[in-house]
Amino acid sequence: MSELTLDPHNDSHDEHNHHVHPVSSYLKTLGALFVLMVITVWAAQIPLGSWGNNLVAMGIATTKATLVVLYFMHVRYGTSLVKLWAILGFLWVPLLGFTLADYATRQYEMVPTWNANDKGSALARDRSGTVGDSKKSMEEQTEANVRGRF
Amino acid sequence: MASTAVDTHAHHHPGLHHQFEDIEQQNEAYLVGMWSFMVNEIMFFGGVFLVYCLYRWRYQDDFYAIHHELNWKMGAFNTTVLLFSSFSMVMAVHFATLKDRMKTLMNLALTCACAFTFLIVKYFEYGAKFEHKLFPGPNFRPELEHLNGANPNVAQLFMSLYFGITGLHALHIIIGILIIGILMGFWYKKNPLVTEDFLPTEMVGLYWHFVDLVWIFLFPLFYLIPR
Amino acid sequence: MSKTLIQPREIPEQEELNYLNNGTSLKSWLLTGDHKRIAVLYLIGISFFFFIGSIAAGLIRLQLMRPTGVLLENDTYNKVFTAHGIVMIFFFLVPSIPAVFGNFFIPLMIGARDLAFPRLNLLSWYVYMLGGVMFLAAMLGGGVDTGWTFYVPLSSMYSNTNVSLAILAAFMAGMSSILTGVNFIATIHKMRAPGMTWGRLPLFVWAHYATSIIMVLGTPVVAITLVLVLFERTFKIGIFSPELGGDPVLFQHMFWFYSHPAVYIMVLPGMGVQSELIANFCRKKVFGYHFIAISSLAIAALGFLVWGHHMYVSSQSMYQSTVFSLLSFLVAIPSAIKIFNWSATIYKGDVRLQTPMYYALAFMGLFTIGGLTGLYLASIATDVHLTATYFVVAHFHYVMVGGALTAYLGAIHYWWPKMFGRLYSDSLGKVSALLVFVGFNLTFMPQFIVGWLGMPRRYSVYYLAPEFQAYHIMSTLGSTVLGIGLFMPLCYLTYSLFKGPRASANPWGAHGLEWLTSSPPVTENFKQIPIVTDEVYDFDYERDHREHAEEADSEEVE
Ligand SMILES: [Cu+2]
């Protein structure tokens, strides 16, 4: 165990701890965050296609989050353990990815629901059309789904 | 198993707990604990984000329509406030490491003020939703103009996600105000727990930045839904 | 032990007192920060809930003695198996080994005075007990009939039993396990004694490290899921219910994202216990120490990527099912690494067949059966046939009871002398271990068969297939034997508390820091923080130096 004196008059203390960072880095971070926020609001008004806007918005949000984590939360100067934890925070991404991958690759059966854009809960149903009001409504559903954005 | 004693220090830090050898070990343990707690919080919010992503994907058009009910200007204002509060918090930590009591207190007070501002804006936002009968549940009976052409069921789903996630976030803000208040009390009373050691301030700071982080994602997800 | 010891800051009067008699008032227990006392508090709470869960299990077995049922109405039967599941999983298996033995022995094993956050530790016990009391209230106030999985839309829309209270209770149990996990992670990272490198950590501690990561990363997801169900139940907004526009399969995704890793929360600590038992009772360093340590982490990591194997018969995409199936098979690799390495440790070991070793051997056999039958359920084609049958019930009982409970019993018999400073009768222990083993197999082996033949789980009657009765009677008979086997330790261990011979500091001649302190340990664990200079499970070294160490001990007492 290293001897650590906590005497406030000891000038070597701050060097020892690496805790004091220049205020300018905080100011730059804040400036960058504000600029990125303005860009988000501005970019949301421009149509970039169904994926474009989402990617831009989430990309900017992730950049902002990274800035906060690195500079405000001091991860940039932190121990590797802290960095590891910061990375572990992304574990929910496989949860998101795997779950959405399931919905993206399902073979849907048309089940009438209250929403035309809903692909239905895809419970096992009789394909002959006994579920639902009529053959016609099933076709309407199908058409609505083809028009859907999936 | 060979064992000898580890020398402990002649003078103890006032905030040192008996189970630790020295303040450095204690501080590192607290940081590890705090980080694992924050990752746990991320998973907590990650669950609701998953729900949001799925339904946003499934009901994109309705979500787009109903999201006009949210006031993006208020959202942007609140984002600015929270980003700034993160800055004042990190300045508080900065002055805490320099043991500058007055400046630390001022910055903490500034952070608290930002947090209150955020909640006040949120109060008006929530109030408008209640007024338009957009709160989910049996009382969800909005006029057509407030649906903007969205399917009422999806609108309700959107509103429950909105109230659920921002409510959870607001709860974290309220908890944040409480712990910043306690921290300020400690600083005000010159409690050696905080004046001799920057770590309690740093931990509160980490928590506050986490709250800010969540909002960074919430703002575009709810207020800036693209067509 | 060196005699050039420097006394650390230590209150001299405390030195004669151990943690049990250092303060006897109720307050000194209920407001304690001592990890050992909190572990004992947990032991009491967990034993109580195990008793409740066992009664529910007994009622289930009694009911199924006859094809038309014996005792319970259908509704009551639903409530009984739900109570059995929730109590056993949330209030027994998840906290069992971590909160009792992890709490007690992690600081001792790594040479620390306490866990990193003692007050958080105490809080976790109170949260756990609060959750337990809430669930008892839910049970006594009419019960819950959703099954422990709280599947929607039954739990959110249709069930008119005490689902909300039960959900809050499970939420509380989850919070308590998160607090435990955070505490263990900080402790294992930062509280290790000098010289206690990662490569010298006992495998018990490695297993708990992996467990804590799952607790911290997985539990919040189920917590938020349950909160959403509560939200839907209270406000009737559509998050999971299809008639409200929600998606019930989304609930299953979120629920099993936690609840599959939760299996590893239950069984990884058991594997940690197993490593300690095998090393000690074979007097050998565990074969492939590093592989076992890393395989715990591998199980934790892989465990997060396989949850979809519970959803093959939901509407999950068949492509996704294939991926989940493949990943599920991969979990067999780290599990097999452990089993093979333990077998290799036993080989040519100086095996001592004492009670804990009986449990260790039982664990290996039973867990292997549990794991291998898991492969039937991980492959899609067989799983479609076996889903929701007694095959599944038998499979997870082989893992949970044959694995986790057996390890729990092994741990309690191994560390009892250290925890309470008393010895129990080894012959009674062996008899009970044999009864548990025989009774357990008699209970669950027939369930594999009857499940394969098509007996669905959660049915209160089976009069359309009366030929299943023979299996059910066998099962009920076995559960009676198992019950006797479980009741015996309660008697002789309690008896040993008062009348048992006093235990020395190291009654097994075991290796490890926890055996260096007195039995029971003093309040701050170590008179001085040890410096670790030898390797883990270094039994040869131990044999050479034991006499020397005992001399040093006796000198220190003088
Ligand atoms: Cu599983």
Side-chain angles (χ1 to χ4, degrees), chain C residues 256 259-261 263-264 306-310 328 395:
Chain C
W256 289 112
S259 293
H260 183 80
V263 173
Y264 300 123
V306 300
W307 75 86
H309 61 223
H310 297 265
S328 303
H395 155 69

Side-chain angles (χ1 to χ4, degrees), chain C residues 415-447:
Chain C
W415 280 308
W416 187 263
K418 175 55 70 183
M419 290 173 84
F420 298 102
R422 300 284 186 159
L423 297 172
Y424 55 88
S425 153
D426 193 49
S427 42
L428 277 175
K430 283 175 182 166
V431 171
S432 92
L434 283 173
L435 284 178
V436 166
F437 183 77
V438 171
F440 172 80
N441 278 301
L442 193 56
T443 311
F444 293 103
M445 200 55 96
Q447 294 189 3

Side-chain angles (χ1 to χ4, degrees), chain C residues 148-176:
Chain C
W148 79 276
T149 49
F150 295 110
Y151 266 19
V152 289
L154 174 60
S155 63
S156 67
M157 300 293 290
Y158 298 109
S159 172
N160 46 21
T161 52
N162 287 330
V163 181
S164 303
L165 198 53
I167 281 178
L168 279 176
F171 183 87
M172 287 292 175
M175 289 298 115
S176 148

